[in-house]
Amino acid sequence: MKIMSNEQLIVSYRDALKSGNDKDWIRVLQVEIKKRGLKPIKH
């Protein structure tokens, strides 16, 4: 995977969820988000 900043990672994840096409890519992004301890969705 290409190196991304935290902001790029979150934006990519949100875009992938909106399109809903590539489940494997969504899973890869989720794993990386968890590794970094980020919260991609605002509460």
Side-chain angles (χ1 to χ4, degrees), residues 10-28:
I10 298 298
V11 169
S12 295
Y13 178 70
R14 289 179 182 167
D15 288 345
L17 285 179
K18 283 182 186 176
S19 69
N21 293 338
D22 194 358
K23 303 291 183 196
D24 291 333
W25 180 239
I26 292 171
R27 200 168 299 119
V28 167

Side-chain angles (χ1 to χ4, degrees), residues 6-20 25-26 29-30 33 38-43:
N6 289 346
E7 292 84 8
Q8 290 172 323
L9 182 62
I10 298 298
V11 169
S12 295
Y13 178 70
R14 289 179 182 167
D15 288 345
L17 285 179
K18 283 182 186 176
S19 69
W25 180 239
I26 292 171
L29 293 172
Q30 283 176 332
I33 287 169
L38 303 174
K39 296 182 181 171
I41 299 172
K42 297 176 187 175
H43 292 283

